[in-house]
Amino acid sequence: MKTEEALPKNYDFKISEEKWRKSWEDNKLFEFSYNKGDKLFVVDTPPPYVSADHLHAGHIMSYAQAEFIVRYKRMQGFNVFYPMGFDDNGLPTERFVEKKYKINKAKITKKEFIDLCLKETEKGIETYKNLWNKLGISVDWSKTYSTIAPLPTKVSQWSLIDLYKKGALYRQELPILWCPTCGTAISQSDMEDKEKTSKMNYISFPISNGESVIIATTRPELLPACVALYFNPEDERYKELINKKAVVPLFNHEINFKTSKEVDKEKGTGLMMVCTWGDQEDLEKWRLDNLETKSLLTPDGKLNELGGKYQGLTIEKAREEIINDLQKQGLLIRQEDIIHSVNVHERCDTPVELILSKQWFIKIADLKDKWLEMGKKINWHPKHMYQAYEIWINSLKWDWCVSRQRYYGVPFPFWYCKECGEIIIPEEKDLPVSPTEQKPKISKCPKCGSTEFIPETDVMDTWATSSCTPFLLKELANNEDLFPVDLRPNAHEIIRTWDFYSIVKSVYHFNEVPFKNIMVSGHGLDEQGKKISKRLGNYVPSDKLVEEWGADAIRYWATGAGLGQNLRFNPIEIKKGKQITTKLWNVAKFIAMNMEDFDTNKEYTLEPSDVWILNELDETIKKATEYFDSYQYAKAKNEIEEFFMSKLADYYIEFIKYRLYGDNKSSKGAAQYTLNCIFIDTLKMFAPILPFITEEIYSIIFKKQKSIHISKWPTTKETKTDLDISDFKEAISAIDEVRKYKSENQISLGAELKEYKLNTKVDLNKYGEFIEKAIRVKKINC
RNA sequence: GGGCGAUUAGCUCAAUUGGUAGAGCACUUCGUUUACACCGAAGGGGUUAGAGGUUCGAGUCCUCUAUCGCCCACCA
């Protein structure tokens, strides 16, 4: 071995990381090619929204954490399929473009808008690709997909058609969740809670006997759509009202009183106004009691003709004017300021409305048991994340509305017969189709013979396309064995969307769960513990981070949180990552300097310290392997680091210096042999976390294979020896004692003591010479 | 209101199935040693959020309380 000159004094991560990125790419190291019988490990990694122009430590964290596992599995001999995709269609991208270009929808054509989306999509993909490359994310870039491209479009359309044929997809006119700002139907999972300040209005309703009742509401603008008043049948205050009628103030239509046990006597005035529709409660009463339908809102969130003099006003404006008018007529009894949480559309913060509309739905709400049962078949890492899934399933109230009245997305593959409304479906071989640009292949409606067809203009919910990824991957590599996938890594906020919808689809299509394992990562937090967000601007852009610290150091930081846990951004931890790489470098240098005369072919007689460190190594390999196998990269890192820093660097190297520098050839050889063994395995164990420095050192010192990342993960070896080193710990304690003595007496560790009397009990016949030489004492006594 | 997770040294976090509370950073005192000053050694620092319970023994198990984060419900 001749390596000394090859290791410069300092490690330059900028040069080295760039070099290996290029080398891995040139050598196609991570490209997937499959031979029947290979152990597969297929990763269905989240296709990020390309609209993210604000990549930060949180993104680095979650993708790096999944990648630790991927690199580990690759070294374990799995044939890894790890493609990356981009989720580039749908509302997130549209909203991003609207905001970025301050789009006025009246002044832009659909085509211009879509072109802008495409342009931003391209840019976004480049930004991500660049970051993943810099970070050393080992994806197979030859198998990239984007959700709007022909193949994913085809798969998404096939999926809908299959669901339709199986009766799981239906089109119906129903009260649905609607976002007035985005002008589209949305689904339950697109909503989130938001605290809003509002006013509770106490409004007087005249009743037929000349008296009046008071109802409390935050939404007086719904008065024109008020269809009934409810009270609890046991509420003595209102019992007599049951046969009376009330008159809706300002609008003067008569409504009935009804009872329901679900009305809470304590809430408001105990009288509940039901409008079609203000909230879930209204909807249920409407369904249950067959109430009249009074559709009040237009798609852009204004009152329609039912609003009378308030027609054309926005919800907020109508609320304001109705309150004014009620006040003028003395019908507004009082107002209270309140803070309540409102369901808003997560993409734009607009309160969600319920309107009557014809949409496409996938049946999910009535099959909760099935989704729960299927969810249990998946290994959730960490386990309690299943509960997040369970809670969501149990809260399902709506079928999944998959149609969106938007532009930039995968089109629904349907036409309708103009005469009879028959749904015309293309054949699978003709997919993908764009109904607005193409005519159906058939010339006549099979039902009525009409020759005119109307295209469906809706596009799919963004999740309707991304939920296909588990079975898109097999199409991407044209290989049926790739389904179901082995690992789905993602953040916890998309359990209810990406994970759940993926399960729904795979169960419908193949009666099988789409993935065997889910690993859920937490959020990146800023140094104060706040969630990193674009709005707060509390982050350093990810590319700057990598530039400043290097990929290995940032990746090291990403090991700091266990699965599902949030992780604070912490420069000290990144620094520590850098420190580890420096330490690895220096140890490598030390080894290179002392390996010149090492003959790998000789047999060596191991000494106690050699056996000790080899046993420690075995123990570390065992634990690190167990931890990686259970997705606990954080614990694995701790074990490896502890071994490397505290056992190898702090002790073993000090233990053997006298042998390496001395004249005893066979003793030196044994130390060289041991050092060689333990260092290569240490490097390998660090490789999934610190891919660059380990590759650099491996390439210089060991050179066995073209890359450490395709070398075999270390296994335990059971060192063969006649030595009993069960008391070796005592020798270490003795060394510690001398170290402490030297430190307390301000003697340098290098200075040789003439004599030292140990307090520690240790077998000096066995370890005396070793202790004397390792800690530099001429004569040691007990 | 319900659920999940958390609460351990000044800070960030560890602690297998219950068995003497540990590390890093920071702090203090030393030390330039032929891998490393992008360094090394040693030291101080704790009523494990609080209260009760089970146990020979509790950071760990149970109950309650407090605080933080997240999810769900709540729009009368």
Side-chain angles (χ1 to χ4, degrees), chain A residues 481-733:
Chain A
D481 293 348
L482 301 179
F483 182 88
V485 304
D486 296 276
L487 176 63
R488 153 80 51 111
N490 58 253
H492 56 70
E493 69 263 28
I494 54 175
I495 290 174
R496 73 185 201 183
T497 48
W498 194 42
D499 290 338
F500 171 50
Y501 291 145
S502 297
I503 292 169
V504 167
K505 284 203 162 186
S506 285
V507 168
Y508 272 129
H509 294 315
F510 314 111
N511 200 23
E512 202 173 345
V513 290
F515 21 81
K516 296 166 195 161
N517 297 283
I518 295 184
M519 64 182 277
V520 182
S521 62
H523 288 298
L525 305 177
D526 70 7
E527 285 181 74
Q528 280 69 45
K530 282 219 169 68
K531 188 177 167 182
I532 298 179
S533 77
K534 188 183 180 180
R535 192 174 52 83
L536 294 173
N538 54 347
Y539 61 92
V540 180
S542 50
D543 48 339
K544 290 235 167 60
L545 285 177
V546 180
E547 211 161 286
E548 184 178 351
W549 301 98
D552 281 341
I554 303 278
R555 291 170 64 106
Y556 179 91
W557 163 77
T559 65
L563 276 180
Q565 288 180 331
N566 295 339
L567 178 60
R568 283 192 193 204
F569 179 73
N570 187 351
I572 291 170
E573 283 299 306
I574 303 179
K575 229 173 180 165
K576 208 174 140 197
K578 261 202 100 172
Q579 213 179 8
I580 301 275
T581 62
T582 304
K583 199 81 176 170
L584 276 167
W585 187 253
N586 287 322
V587 169
K589 259 188 341 190
F590 173 78
I591 291 173
M593 273 175 204
N594 291 290
M595 281 294 171
E596 274 179 72
D597 57 347
F598 175 50
D599 182 349
T600 40
N601 298 318
K602 263 194 183 163
E603 287 263 325
Y604 295 99
T605 310
L606 297 177
E607 298 185 15
S609 58
D610 304 329
V611 177
W612 168 76
I613 195 75
L614 287 166
N615 288 346
E616 292 288 342
L617 175 72
D618 267 7
E619 196 54 33
T620 307
I621 293 172
K622 214 177 112 202
K623 281 188 181 161
T625 306
E626 275 173 24
Y627 285 139
F628 268 123
D629 277 336
S630 56
Y631 297 83
Q632 300 185 77
Y633 50 81
K635 287 185 175 176
K637 181 218 67 175
N638 285 343
E639 288 298 328
I640 300 160
E641 180 182 307
E642 160 76 11
F643 171 78
F644 172 64
M645 294 295 268
S646 311
K647 308 267 167 69
L648 172 54
D650 288 353
Y651 283 114
Y652 185 68
I653 285 186
E654 295 306 321
F655 291 168
I656 60 168
K657 275 180 180 169
Y658 75 93
R659 290 159 64 192
L660 293 174
Y661 303 150
D663 302 327
N664 185 334
K665 282 262 158 62
S666 77
S667 175
K668 181 176 180 181
Q672 288 172 318
Y673 165 83
T674 308
L675 201 50
N676 194 53
C677 280
I678 58 177
F679 193 54
I680 189 166
D681 282 358
T682 304
L683 277 182
K684 284 182 178 184
M685 286 191 285
F686 269 127
I689 293 163
L690 310 172
F692 292 102
I693 181 95
T694 52
E695 184 79 310
E696 178 77 36
I697 296 171
Y698 184 84
S699 76
I700 297 169
I701 302 188
F702 298 105
K703 293 181 197 144
K704 278 188 186 156
Q705 270 169 300
K706 71 175 167 187
S707 168
I708 193 171
H709 301 294
I710 51 171
S711 71
K712 281 294 277 181
W713 182 256
T715 48
T716 54
K717 287 151 204 87
E718 300 240 343
T719 307
K720 275 179 238 146
T721 178
D722 299 331
L723 294 171
D724 170 20
I725 59 140
S726 57
D727 55 352
F728 190 75
K729 271 189 201 141
E730 288 156 17
I732 295 179
S733 300

Side-chain angles (χ1 to χ4, degrees), chain A residues 35 50 116 133 232 295 361 363-364 436 476 486 492 514 537 615:
Chain A
N35 299 304
V50 294
L116 277 180
N133 263 329
N232 190 301
S295 196
F361 299 90
K363 284 185 190 165
I364 54 172
T436 52
L476 205 59
D486 296 276
H492 56 70
N615 288 346

Side-chain angles (χ1 to χ4, degrees), chain A residues 228-287:
Chain A
L229 294 180
Y230 277 76
F231 59 87
N232 190 301
E234 282 162 23
D235 194 331
E236 297 298 331
R237 294 173 295 174
Y238 300 123
K239 259 189 174 164
E240 286 160 22
L241 294 174
I242 193 68
N243 292 317
K244 310 239 165 20
K245 285 188 184 288
V247 178
V248 177
L250 303 181
F251 297 90
N252 299 323
H253 57 277
E254 282 199 337
I255 50 172
N256 293 320
F257 285 97
K258 288 180 173 289
T259 58
S260 162
K261 281 184 181 151
E262 281 168 26
V263 174
D264 185 342
K265 288 190 274 186
E266 306 302 319
K267 269 194 186 173
T269 59
L271 269 177
M272 183 171 93
M273 160 175 109
V274 169
C275 306
T276 53
W277 302 268
D279 62 13
Q280 197 69 33
E281 206 63 53
D282 289 352
L283 205 58
E284 272 156 32
K285 297 281 171 291
W286 169 77
R287 276 202 191 112

Side-chain angles (χ1 to χ4, degrees), chain A residues 397-527:
Chain A
K397 291 201 174 100
W398 304 75
D399 278 343
W400 176 16
C401 176
V402 283
S403 43
R404 297 289 180 271
Q405 289 65 56
R406 299 290 302 192
Y407 320 110
Y408 184 54
V410 174
F412 271 67
F414 301 126
W415 293 266
Y416 308 105
C417 171
K418 198 175 176 184
E419 288 299 315
C420 69
E422 177 75 0
I423 296 168
I424 312 295
I425 302 164
E427 283 184 47
E428 195 182 329
K429 66 174 168 54
D430 296 325
L431 298 178
V433 295
S434 175
T436 52
E437 291 161 25
Q438 289 166 254
K439 289 204 155 77
K441 283 273 165 81
I442 54 164
S443 52
K444 279 185 191 166
C445 170
K447 203 169 159 194
C448 73
S450 164
T451 54
E452 284 194 78
F453 305 101
I454 305 164
E456 173 58 88
T457 54
D458 287 353
V459 296
M460 292 182 204
D461 174 19
T462 185
W463 303 110
T465 57
S466 60
S467 56
C468 296
T469 58
F471 47 94
L472 168 65
L473 297 192
K474 67 186 173 73
E475 302 299 324
L476 205 59
N478 204 6
N479 184 336
E480 288 299 313
D481 293 348
L482 301 179
F483 182 88
V485 304
D486 296 276
L487 176 63
R488 153 80 51 111
N490 58 253
H492 56 70
E493 69 263 28
I494 54 175
I495 290 174
R496 73 185 201 183
T497 48
W498 194 42
D499 290 338
F500 171 50
Y501 291 145
S502 297
I503 292 169
V504 167
K505 284 203 162 186
S506 285
V507 168
Y508 272 129
H509 294 315
F510 314 111
N511 200 23
E512 202 173 345
V513 290
F515 21 81
K516 296 166 195 161
N517 297 283
I518 295 184
M519 64 182 277
V520 182
S521 62
H523 288 298
L525 305 177
D526 70 7
E527 285 181 74

Side-chain angles (χ1 to χ4, degrees), chain A residues 311-346:
Chain A
Q311 179 176 0
L313 297 181
T314 62
I315 291 162
E316 294 77 21
K317 194 75 191 153
R319 183 180 301 174
E320 206 182 304
E321 299 214 350
I322 285 174
I323 286 293
N324 276 339
D325 289 347
L326 285 169
Q327 200 151 27
K328 276 182 205 155
Q329 297 193 18
L331 295 168
L332 181 69
I333 308 303
R334 64 192 164 98
Q335 281 188 313
E336 280 167 11
D337 288 319
I338 58 158
I339 299 170
H340 63 168
S341 70
V342 179
N343 283 322
V344 297
H345 183 205
E346 62 166 350

Side-chain angles (χ1 to χ4, degrees), chain A residues 186 188-196 339-352 392 395 397 496:
Chain A
I186 60 169
Q188 193 182 343
S189 60
D190 295 324
M191 295 195 295
E192 62 183 18
D193 291 348
K194 202 100 196 179
E195 295 254 293
K196 300 247 177 189
I339 299 170
H340 63 168
S341 70
V342 179
N343 283 322
V344 297
H345 183 205
E346 62 166 350
R347 304 287 169 201
C348 65
D349 266 8
T350 309
V352 171
W392 179 251
S395 76
K397 291 201 174 100
R496 73 185 201 183

